[in-house]
C-alpha cells in the first residue's frame, strides 16, 4: 500500500506541527486526522514529557465516535507501550481509526511495535511516507536512541603547530571572527555546552550562543561546568539565561546519563585540552571540530590533552567529513571510526580499547 496525495499533504503538515513541540526526552511528533474523503478532521502535536502524544492530542479534539473510519497521519510510528501515557496504538484502535500512515519507525525497544499491533487489529498501515523529512526533523532524538546517550561534539581552536594558547596562557584570539561566528552558530544548535573549571576561571566565558551583533540566539545551550573548584558568584556564566549545572567530572558516562535525563540531545564540549582528551579517551566523542588558524606559537598549551595513546599503533584514526574555510582559518570536521560501544562505555576503533567511563584528572580542566 502507498499513501495518496491527501495523505502526503497531511504528512507535510504533520511535520510542521511537530516543530511546535519541544526537543527533549521525547521526540517531536505531529498528527493529522483525515476523513474518508480526505478532509482534515483534527490535528495535534506532542507538547513534552507527560503530555498527550500527538495522536491522542488530535483525537481529543473530536467528539466520541467522530474518528471512526478516519485515517491518522503521524510523523512517528504510534507507540505501543504504557509510560506516563497509554499506548497510542490502543487509542487509535479504540477510536475506530481505519488507516494509519506514518513516516519514521520508532526505534525504541519498549515503545516500538505499534504498527504491528494496529495491523493485528485490522487497521491498514502505511509506513515510510516522507521518511527522510521525518528523519531530518528527529535527527538528534534518533541519535540519542541509537547511542543510548547524547550526541557529543568536541571543539577546539589551534594554531597550525597544534597550540591552543601561548606560553603565558593567553589564547584570545587564535582564530578570526568568521570562525568564531561559526562556533556560536554551532553552539546555538546544541542543548548543553561543557567546560572545565580551569577554562572557566582562566577565561570567564559566558557560554552563550551569540550572533555577530552580540545578541543571543533564541536557543541557548545549558551551561555545564566540570570540576570541584567553586564557580565565582560574579562569573559571567552566572548571567546565562539557563541555570548552571556543575558536575565533579569524575564519571563522564554518568554525566551524559544525567544530561540525557534533563532532555539534552546534543552536547558541545568546549572545555580545553584536558576535558577534550577525557571525552576522547572514554570513547564518548561522535564529532570533532578542529578550527585551525594559519599562525605559529612554537610553545604553550597543546590543543588536546592525553587521549591514552602510548605508541603509534594506538593512534585514534579519524574519518574526515568535511574541510571548510572561514576567512584564513580552516575547520576540519571529523569523527572517530565507527565503534562497537553501546553508549555506557565504548570501544575505540582506533585503539581497540574498551572504556567504562573516564574522569577529568583532578576534576578540573
Amino acid at each position: 500500500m502507498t499513501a495518496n496525495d491527501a495523505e502526503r499533504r497531511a504528512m507535510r503538515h504533520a511535520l510542521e506541527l511537530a516543530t511546535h513541540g519541544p526537543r527533549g526526552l521525547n521526540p517531536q511528533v505531529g498528527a493529522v486526522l483525515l476523513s474518508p474523503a480526505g478532509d482534515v478532521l483534527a490535528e495535534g502535536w506532542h507538547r513534552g514529557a507527560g503530555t498527550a502524544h500527538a495522536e491522542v492530542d488530535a483525537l481529543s479534539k473530536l467528539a466520541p465516535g467522530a474518528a471512526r473510519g478516519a485515517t491518522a497521519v503521524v510523523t512517528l510510528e504510534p507507540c505501543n507501550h504504557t509510560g506516563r501515557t497509554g499506548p497510542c496504538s490502543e487509542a487509535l484502535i479504540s477510536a475506530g481509526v481505519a488507516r494509519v500512515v506514518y513516516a519514521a519507525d520508532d526505534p525504541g525497544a519498549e515503545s516500538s511495535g505499534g504498527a504491528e499491533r494496529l495491523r493485528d487489529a485490522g487497521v491498514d498501515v502505511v509506513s515510510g511516507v516522507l521518511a527522510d523529512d521525518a528523519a531530518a526533523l528527529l535527527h538528534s532524538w534518533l541519535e540519542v536512541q541509537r547511542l543510548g546517550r547524547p550526541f557529543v561534539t568536541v571543539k577546539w581552536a589551534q594554531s597550525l603547530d597544534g597550540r591552543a594558547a601561548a606560553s603565558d596562557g593567553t589564547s584570545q584570539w587564535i582564530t578570526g571572527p568568521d570562525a568564531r561566528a561559526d562556533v556560536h552558530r554551532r553552539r546555538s544548535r546544541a542543548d548543553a555546552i561543557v567546560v572545565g573549571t580551569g577554562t572557566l576561571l582562566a577565561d570567564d566565558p559566558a557560554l552563550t550562543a551569540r550572533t555577530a551583533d552580540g545578541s543571543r540566539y533564541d536557543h541557548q545551550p545549558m551551561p555545564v561546568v566540570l570540576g570541584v573548584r567553586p564557580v565565582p558568584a560574579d562569573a559571567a556564566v552566572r548571567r546565562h539565561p539557563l541555570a548552571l549545572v556543575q558536575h565533579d567530572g569524575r564519571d563522564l558516562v554518568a554525566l551524559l546519563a544525567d544530561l540525557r535525563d534533563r532532555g539534552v540531545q546534543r552536547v558541545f564540549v568546549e572545555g580545553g585540552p584536558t576535558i577534550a582528551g577525557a571525552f576522547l579517551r572514554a570513547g564518548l566523542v561522535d564529532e570533532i571540530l578542529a578550527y585551525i588558524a594559519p599562525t605559529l606559537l612554537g610553545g604553550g598549551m597543546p590543543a588536546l590533552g592525553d587521549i591514552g595513546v602510548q605508541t603509534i599503533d594506538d593512534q585514534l584514526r579519524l574519518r574526515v567529513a568535511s574541510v571548510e574555510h572561514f576567512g584564513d582559518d580552516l575547520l576540519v570536521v571529523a569523527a572517530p571510526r565507527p565503534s562497537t560501544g553501546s553508549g555506557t562505555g565504548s570501544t575505540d576503533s582506533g585503539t581497540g580499547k574498551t572504556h567504562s567511563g573516564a574522569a577529568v584528572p583532578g576534576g578540573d580542566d
Side-chain angles (χ1 to χ4, degrees):
M1 290 186 293
T2 59
N4 59 40
D5 289 344
E7 290 165 345
R8 293 180 69 84
R9 285 195 298 271
M11 185 64 78
R12 291 190 184 91
H13 184 49
L15 288 165
E16 293 174 1
L17 292 172
T19 64
H20 296 324
R23 286 197 337 178
L25 284 174
N26 297 96
Q28 294 173 298
V29 182
V32 176
L33 298 176
L34 298 177
S35 72
D39 299 321
V40 175
L41 297 174
E43 59 188 42
W45 65 89
H46 184 48
R47 290 168 170 78
T51 66
H53 289 189
E55 303 95 313
V56 175
D57 184 45
L59 288 170
S60 70
K61 298 170 183 175
L62 296 178
R68 190 161 300 281
T71 294
V73 178
V74 193
T75 57
L76 184 67
E77 177 186 6
C79 70
N80 195 45
H81 82 300
T82 300
R84 298 190 198 181
T85 58
C88 292
S89 56
E90 298 297 339
L92 293 168
I93 292 167
S94 297
V97 168
R99 181 175 167 89
V100 172
V101 177
Y102 73 87
D105 291 325
D106 189 328
E110 295 182 354
S111 55
S112 62
E116 182 179 0
R117 174 69 185 99
L118 290 162
R119 291 189 180 101
D120 288 345
V123 178
D124 291 337
V125 178
V126 180
S127 63
V129 178
L130 301 186
D132 289 345
D133 299 83
L137 171 69
L138 295 171
H139 174 71
S140 294
W141 181 80
L142 290 170
E143 283 289 302
V144 172
Q145 309 317 301
R146 179 179 66 85
L147 294 166
R149 58 166 174 79
F151 185 93
V152 176
T153 295
V154 169
K155 167 263 173 182
W156 65 77
Q158 66 173 69
S159 62
L160 195 60
D161 54 346
R163 301 294 171 173
S167 296
D168 65 355
T170 56
S171 61
Q172 297 179 331
W173 297 103
I174 289 176
T175 55
D178 292 343
R180 297 199 296 275
D182 184 65
V183 170
H184 280 275
R185 280 192 295 271
R186 293 174 186 269
R187 280 186 184 182
S188 73
R189 301 170 192 162
D191 301 308
I193 180 169
V194 177
V195 300
T197 51
T199 295
L200 185 126
L201 294 172
D203 297 339
D204 193 26
L207 301 185
T208 53
R210 301 182 298 280
T211 65
D213 65 6
S215 60
R216 293 173 179 165
Y217 280 96
D218 290 338
H219 181 73
Q220 291 292 317
M222 174 193 303
V224 180
V225 176
L226 303 186
V228 296
R229 286 181 284 179
V231 176
D234 60 349
V237 72
R238 296 286 191 187
R239 298 187 290 278
H240 195 286
L242 300 179
L244 170 68
V245 174
Q246 187 166 8
H247 279 259
D248 60 23
R250 293 190 176 97
D251 186 339
L252 297 183
V253 170
L255 165 71
L256 293 178
D258 176 65
L259 293 180
R260 180 185 181 182
D261 289 344
R262 295 171 184 265
V264 170
Q265 295 179 4
R266 300 187 71 86
V267 174
F268 198 77
V269 179
E270 202 173 345
T274 305
I275 297 287
F279 273 92
L280 281 162
R281 195 166 61 253
L284 296 172
V285 176
D286 305 295
E287 180 182 58
I288 294 168
L289 306 176
Y291 292 85
I292 305 171
T295 188
L296 301 173
L297 295 178
M301 180 190 299
L304 182 63
D306 176 28
I307 61 171
V309 173
Q310 301 299 321
T311 177
I312 196 66
D313 291 337
D314 289 344
Q315 62 186 297
L316 179 58
R317 301 294 301 182
L318 306 177
R319 173 180 51 82
V320 175
S322 65
V323 179
E324 304 175 39
H325 283 263
F326 292 99
D328 291 334
D329 303 319
L330 293 177
L331 167 61
V332 177
V333 181
R337 298 288 181 179
S339 70
T340 59
S342 65
T344 56
S346 61
T347 300
D348 295 340
S349 58
T351 65
K353 297 177 178 177
T354 302
H355 306 283
S356 60
V360 177
D364 295 294
D365 188 17

